[in-house]
C-alpha cells in the first residue's frame, strides 16, 4: 500500500451527520442527493460529490437521490443526461429516486405566487443594465427599483403573463424582496425567475419562464425531503438565501446545506465549460478521450470504479481548498492493479533477436504464473522460438555506465526463459539496427547460469506466435499544474500527451481479452484493452499508469 493512504481521511461532514443522527435531528434520517446539471459530461470533481453523497447515505442507512438540475434549457441536452446516468451507475452507486428539477416547475410556480401574495416577491421590469447599476457595491447599499412596490395584484398578473409567454426575454424578472442593504449581495433582492422563450428537453414549450438555481435548488431539496444538502464552497454565500426561501414557503422538508471544498487536481481542468471547449476545438478526440478528466475518459484510460472510490476516501472532505497531486490518483489504480491485474508480456518498440544456436523451426512452450504473489490467478503457456522480439531500449550498442541489459558480447535473461548472449548486430543501409544475433545457454531455464552472474532480466515476445497490436501511451494533457489559469489552451497542451504505438507485439493470449480488461505488462506498466477499439483482430491497449511513480523524478 502506498504512503498516501490514510486509515480514514478527515471528513467533517461525516462528523456532522453522525452528530445529527445521534441527536435525532431530521428524525435521525439521512437523505442526500447528487444534483448535476445535464450540461456536460461528469468529471472527476463530480466523483468527489457522488462518493460523498452516496457514501454518506449508505453509511447511515439513508437514501440518495439523483436529481437533474435542468433549469437552463439553453445548455442542457439528453445526451448529457444519459451519460450522467451511465457514469453514476458505473461508479457503483444506485440512486433511491431519480428526479428532475423540471418536474417541480408547477410547484415552484405555486410557491412563487405564494411569495408574491406574502409581499416577498415582485416583478421588476428594469433592464438588466439598470438592475446592475442599482445593485450597489460591497460598501454601498443597492437602490430600490421603481417597481419594488408594485401591488400584489399587479405582480400576480404580470407573473402569470410572463408564464403564458406574453413578453419577450428580458422584459421582466421576478425578484425576491429581501434586503437591498445586505452585506451579502445574494440577498439584495435576487432574481427568482427569468423569461426564456426556449424549448426544454422535458417540458417542451409549456414554459416561457424558468426558475433560477438558488430558488430551485432549496425548494427541490425540500420537496424531496433531503436532510443534508451537500454542495461546494462557492455556495456558502448562497446559504442565507437558501434558508430564506425555505422559511417563507410551506415546504415539506427542512434540508440543511453544508459546503465542502471542490476537488482541484493538478494538471487537470475541472469545469464542464472548459472541457466542452477542449472537445469542440479538437484538442482531444471526444469526451471519452483517455486524457480527459471526465468519468468516461478516466474509465477508458483504465481506471476502475473501486480505484476512484478509493481516491475519494484518500483525499477526504474538508472546508479548505487544496490541490491534490496526480500521484495520489495514480497510486489508487496502481495499488489495486498491483494486486489484481494478471501479468503479461508485450513489446512496445520491438527489435528482433535471432537465436542462432537453435534450429530455425525450434519451438517450445513455457509455463508462466499469471501473478507472482497470487497462485490462485493460475498459469498460462507462452510460446518460445528461435526468434523473439525485445524492446529496442533493452539493447545498447554503446552501453551507458551500469547498463544491465543486452550489449554486444553481453548476457541477459529473457524473463522466464534462457540467458542469451549477443554476438553480432545487423544494420540496414541507413545504419539502423534491425537484428540482434544471439546464442543461448540451454542450461539456464529456471536455473542460474554456471560460474557467472547475469543481472539483467528483460521481457520478450515470441516472434512466430506474437501478435501485432496498437498501444497508446498517455501522459498528462497539460504541461502546467494549473491549466485553468492559462490564457489559452494552445500554449499548455502537452504535445506528447498521447503516443500511438502501432508496431507493438503482444502475447497471443491477449487477443482473446474482452474490452476493459486490465493487465500489467511486465516492466512497462498497467494497461487496459480499449473499450471501443479493441477486438481479437484489432488488439488495442491504453496505458493506464506506469508501474512506479514518475512524479518524484519530475
Ligand atoms: P462545472 O463547474 O464543472 O460545470 P458544476 O458545479 O457546475 O461543475 P454541477 O452539474 O452543477 O456542475 O455539479 C453537480 C454537483 O457536483 C454539485 O453539487 C457540485 O457542487 C459538485 N461538483 C462539481 N464540481 C466539483 C468538484 N470539482 N469537486 C467536488 N464537487 C464538485
Ligand atoms: Mg453548475
Amino acid at each position: 500500500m502506498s504512503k498516501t493512504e490514510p486509515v480514514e481521511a478527515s471528513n467533517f461532514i461525516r462528523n456532522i451527520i453522525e452528530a445529527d443522527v445521534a441527536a435525532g435531528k431530521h428524525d435521525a434520517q439521512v437523505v442526500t442527493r447528487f444534483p448535476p446539471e445535464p450540461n456536460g459530461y461528469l468529471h472527476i470533481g463530480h466523483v468527489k460529490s457522488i462518493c460523498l453523497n452516496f457514501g454518506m447515505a449508505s453509511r447511515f442507512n439513508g437514501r440518495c437521490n439523483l436529481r437533474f438540475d435542468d433549469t437552463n434549457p439553453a445548455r442542457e441536452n439528453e445526451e448529457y443526461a444519459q451519460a450522467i446516468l451511465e457514469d453514476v451507475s458505473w461508479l457503483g452507486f444506485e440512486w433511491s429516486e431519480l428526479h428532475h428539477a423540471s418536474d417541480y416547475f408547477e410547484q415552484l410556480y405555486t410557491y412563487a405566487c405564494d411569495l408574491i401574495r406574502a409581499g416577498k416577491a415582485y416583478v421588476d421590469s428594469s433592464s438588466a443594465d439598470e438592475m446592475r447599476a442599482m445593485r450597489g457595491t460591497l460598501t454601498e447599499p443597492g437602490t430600490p427599483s421603481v417597481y419594488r412596490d408594485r401591488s400584489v395584484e399587479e405582480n400576480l398578473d404580470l407573473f402569470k403573463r410572463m408564464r403564458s409567454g406574453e413578453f419577450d426575454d428580458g422584459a421582466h424578472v421576478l425578484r425576491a424582496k429581501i434586503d437591498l442593504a445586505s452585506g451579502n449581495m445574494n440577498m439584495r433582492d435576487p432574481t427568482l425567475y427569468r423569461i426564456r422563450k426556449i424549448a426544454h428537453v422535458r417540458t417542451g414549450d409549456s414554459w416561457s419562464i424558468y426558475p433560477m438555481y438558488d430558488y430551485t435548488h432549496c425548494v427541490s431539496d425540500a420537496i424531496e425531503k433531503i436532510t443534508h444538502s451537500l454542495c461546494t464552497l462557492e455556495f456558502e454565500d448562497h446559504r442565507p438565501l437558501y434558508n430564506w426561501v425555505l422559511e417563507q414557503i410551506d415546504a415539506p422538508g427542512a434540508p440543511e446545506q453544508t459546503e465542502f471544498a471542490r476537488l482541484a487536481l493538478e494538471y487537470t481542468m475541472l469545469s464542464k465549460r472548459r472541457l466542452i471547449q477542449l472537445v469542440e476545438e479538437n484538442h482531444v478526440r471526444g469526451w471519452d478521450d483517455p486524457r480527459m478528466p471526465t468519468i468516461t475518459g478516466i474509465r477508458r484510460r483504465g481506471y476502475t470504479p473501486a480505484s476512484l472510490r478509493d481516491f475519494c476516501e484518500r483525499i477526504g472532505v474538508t472546508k479548505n481548498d487544496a490541490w491534490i497531486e496526480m500521484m495520489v490518483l495514480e497510486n489508487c489504480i496502481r495499488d489495486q492493479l498491483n494486486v489484481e491485474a494478471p501479468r503479461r508480456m508485450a513489446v512496445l518498440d520491438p527489435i528482433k533477436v535471432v537465436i542462432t544456436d537453435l534450429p530455425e523451426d525450434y519451438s517450445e512452450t513455457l509455463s508462466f504464473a499469471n501473478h507472482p504473489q497470487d497462485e490462485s490467478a493460475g498459469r498460462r503457456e507462452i510460446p518460445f522460438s528461435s526468434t523473439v522480439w525485445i524492446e529496442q531500449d533493452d539493447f545498447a550498442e554503446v552501453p551507458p555506465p551500469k547498463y544491465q541489459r543486452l550489449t554486444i558480447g553481453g548476457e541477459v535473461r529473457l524473463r522466464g526463459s534462457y540467458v542469451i548472449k549477443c554476438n553480432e548486430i545487423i544494420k540496414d543501409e541507413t545504419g539502423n539496427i534491425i537484428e540482434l544475433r544471439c546464442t543461448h545457454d540451454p542450461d539456464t531455464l529456471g536455473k542460474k547460469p554456471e560460474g557467472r552472474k547475469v543481472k539483467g532480466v528483460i521481457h520478450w515476445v515470441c516472434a512466430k506466435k506474437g501478435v501485432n497490436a496498437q498501444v497508446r501511451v498517455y501522459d498528462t494533457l497539460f504541461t502546467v499544474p494549473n491549466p485553468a489559469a492559462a490564457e489559452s489552451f494552445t500554449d499548455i497542451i502537452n504535445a506528447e500527451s498521447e503516443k500511438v504505438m502501432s508496431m507493438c507485439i503482444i502475447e497471443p493470449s491477449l487477443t482473446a481479452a474482452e474490452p476493459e480488461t486490465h493487465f500489467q505488462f511486465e516492466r512497462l506498466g498497467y494497461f487496459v484493452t480499449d473499450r471501443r477499439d479493441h477486438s481479437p483482430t484489432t488488439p488495442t491497449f491504453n496505458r493506464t499508469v506506469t508501474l512506479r511513480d514518475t512524479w518524484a523524478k519530475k
Side-chain angles (χ1 to χ4, degrees):
M1 287 288 136
S2 89
K3 281 189 288 226
T4 52
E5 190 183 35
V7 180
E8 192 163 43
S10 74
N11 184 335
F12 74 100
I13 289 182
R14 185 175 58 222
N15 301 341
I16 290 176
I17 298 180
E18 209 154 46
D20 285 351
V21 170
K25 206 169 172 182
H26 308 289
D27 296 329
Q29 297 288 303
V30 176
V31 187
T32 58
R33 84 288 168 267
F34 173 62
E37 183 179 357
N39 64 345
Y41 279 67
L42 297 182
H43 52 64
I44 188 156
H46 294 111
V47 175
K48 178 173 179 180
S49 175
I50 293 168
C51 287
L52 178 64
N53 280 293
F54 284 92
M56 288 302 113
S58 104
R59 190 182 180 104
F60 294 98
N61 291 316
R63 293 180 285 120
C64 180
N65 294 346
L66 179 64
R67 182 198 314 141
F68 286 113
D69 174 26
D70 57 347
T71 54
N72 201 341
R75 296 189 309 193
E76 297 158 4
N77 72 43
E78 195 52 26
E79 176 199 338
Y80 295 145
Q82 286 309 318
I84 289 170
L85 296 179
E86 183 180 345
D87 288 347
V88 174
S89 303
W90 176 76
L91 279 172
F93 297 110
E94 274 177 52
W95 46 90
S96 303
E97 296 162 17
L98 178 65
H99 292 293
H100 294 80
S102 57
D103 295 339
Y104 308 135
F105 280 171
E106 195 62 52
Q107 183 67 66
L108 285 156
Y109 179 81
T110 304
Y111 284 137
C113 293
D114 292 346
L115 287 177
I116 294 174
R117 277 189 212 97
K120 301 284 186 180
Y122 61 98
V123 173
D124 195 338
S125 312
S126 310
S127 70
D129 283 341
E130 284 166 343
M131 284 208 283
R132 211 168 298 123
M134 288 186 291
R135 275 195 90 201
T137 63
L138 285 175
T139 50
E140 282 168 54
T143 323
S145 152
V146 292
Y147 305 103
R148 197 170 194 255
D149 292 316
R150 272 178 162 149
S151 69
V152 167
E153 290 66 38
E154 189 183 2
N155 279 322
L156 280 176
D157 174 62
L158 280 171
F159 189 45
K160 197 164 148 197
R161 285 158 61 198
M162 282 165 67
R163 172 180 180 164
S164 66
E166 202 177 313
F167 308 113
D168 289 335
D169 287 16
H172 312 279
V173 294
L174 183 75
R175 293 176 75 176
K177 197 180 206 174
I178 311 180
D179 178 5
L180 291 171
S182 173
N184 182 337
M185 300 299 272
N186 295 310
M187 299 298 272
R188 292 189 184 178
D189 291 10
T191 300
L192 304 180
Y193 271 89
R194 70 244 189 267
I195 301 171
R196 291 295 267 132
K197 294 198 146 171
I198 183 167
H200 186 283
V201 181
R202 294 176 59 85
T203 58
D205 291 322
S206 32
W207 292 87
S208 297
I209 52 172
Y210 290 96
M212 301 299 285
Y213 174 89
D214 278 331
Y215 175 61
T216 313
H217 204 84
C218 51
V219 175
S220 306
D221 281 348
I223 292 174
E224 291 175 24
K225 297 202 173 119
I226 302 300
T227 57
H228 297 83
S229 181
L230 312 176
C231 63
T232 36
L233 280 179
E234 70 272 24
F235 292 104
E236 197 164 19
D237 283 349
H238 298 239
R239 184 165 12 116
L241 178 54
Y242 183 103
N243 292 337
W244 182 89
V245 172
L246 293 184
E247 278 158 24
Q248 313 310 314
I249 64 171
D250 187 20
E256 269 179 73
Q257 174 178 309
T258 307
E259 309 84 16
F260 63 94
R262 292 177 88 85
L263 169 68
L265 184 62
E266 287 188 347
Y267 295 91
T268 308
M269 219 166 39
L270 299 181
S271 144
K272 281 182 275 190
R273 190 176 54 80
R274 304 299 298 279
L275 296 179
I276 287 175
Q277 207 185 332
L278 281 174
V279 173
E280 285 179 350
E281 293 175 6
N282 295 313
H283 295 293
V284 292
R285 277 182 280 94
W287 286 103
D288 67 350
D289 188 301
R291 293 165 293 179
M292 287 283 273
T294 51
I295 297 180
T296 183
I298 295 176
R299 171 180 180 178
R300 197 167 170 199
R301 174 76 164 261
Y303 279 82
T304 58
S307 67
L308 296 177
R309 294 193 305 259
D310 181 24
F311 173 65
C312 291
E313 270 302 313
R314 292 188 194 193
I315 59 176
V317 182
T318 67
K319 265 221 183 278
N320 314 315
D321 285 312
W323 284 93
I324 304 294
E325 291 175 272
M326 205 54 180
M327 180 182 75
V328 179
L329 178 63
E330 291 182 350
N331 280 341
C332 293
I333 188 68
R334 214 176 257 133
D335 288 350
Q336 186 192 354
L337 295 181
N338 179 36
V339 175
E340 295 178 8
R343 274 47 171 172
R344 294 289 183 269
M345 291 203 288
V347 175
L348 303 194
D349 191 11
I351 183 167
K352 190 182 263 180
V353 167
V354 177
I355 301 169
T356 52
D357 57 350
L358 283 173
E360 210 180 311
D361 60 354
Y362 181 83
S363 73
E364 187 176 351
T365 305
L366 303 173
S367 172
F368 276 65
N370 285 326
H371 195 291
Q373 281 96 42
D374 180 8
E375 259 177 56
S376 73
R379 302 186 71 81
R380 70 192 185 286
E381 298 196 322
I382 295 191
F384 172 77
S385 68
S386 58
T387 45
V388 299
W389 299 104
I390 65 167
E391 299 286 349
Q392 300 223 14
D393 262 3
D394 283 335
F395 174 81
E397 193 177 2
V398 185
K402 295 196 188 157
Y403 191 73
Q404 289 190 349
R405 292 168 274 168
L406 196 59
T407 57
I408 302 172
E411 282 185 305
V412 80
R413 176 180 291 281
L414 297 176
R415 178 184 298 280
S417 172
Y418 301 91
V419 168
I420 58 167
K421 176 177 181 178
C422 179
N423 306 300
E424 188 188 357
I425 59 179
I426 313 274
K427 294 184 176 176
D428 63 13
E429 314 86 72
T430 54
N432 295 317
I433 303 174
I434 50 169
E435 192 176 301
L436 306 174
R437 297 183 70 80
C438 301
T439 46
H440 80 299
D441 179 344
D443 202 24
T444 52
L445 188 62
K447 267 198 264 173
K448 289 192 175 143
E450 286 286 330
R452 63 203 195 276
K453 269 199 180 128
V454 175
K455 282 200 188 147
V457 181
I458 64 174
H459 61 275
W460 55 276
V461 175
C462 165
K464 288 184 185 141
K465 300 262 176 69
V467 176
N468 179 238
Q470 186 184 93
V471 178
R472 301 150 182 176
V473 174
Y474 292 106
D475 195 355
T476 57
L477 183 55
F478 298 105
T479 52
V480 293
N482 181 8
E487 293 272 307
S488 95
F489 289 150
T490 30
D491 313 336
I492 54 161
I493 294 265
N494 178 3
E496 266 135 54
S497 58
E498 181 186 62
K499 198 165 151 196
V500 178
M501 308 181 78
S502 300
M503 304 297 285
C504 309
I505 313 286
I506 56 173
E507 279 184 32
S509 70
L510 280 167
T511 56
E514 295 288 324
E516 294 200 278
T517 313
H518 307 268
F519 296 99
Q520 183 194 98
F521 287 171
E522 305 244 18
R523 299 176 65 230
L524 296 176
Y526 295 99
F527 293 77
V528 66
T529 44
D530 189 78
R531 269 184 89 186
R532 301 207 180 286
D533 303 332
H534 175 80
S535 78
T537 51
T538 57
T540 311
F541 297 79
N542 302 326
R543 187 176 77 188
T544 308
V545 70
T546 50
L547 277 187
R548 272 172 280 280
D549 182 30
T550 52
W551 289 97
K553 261 192 294 175
K554 292 181 190 173

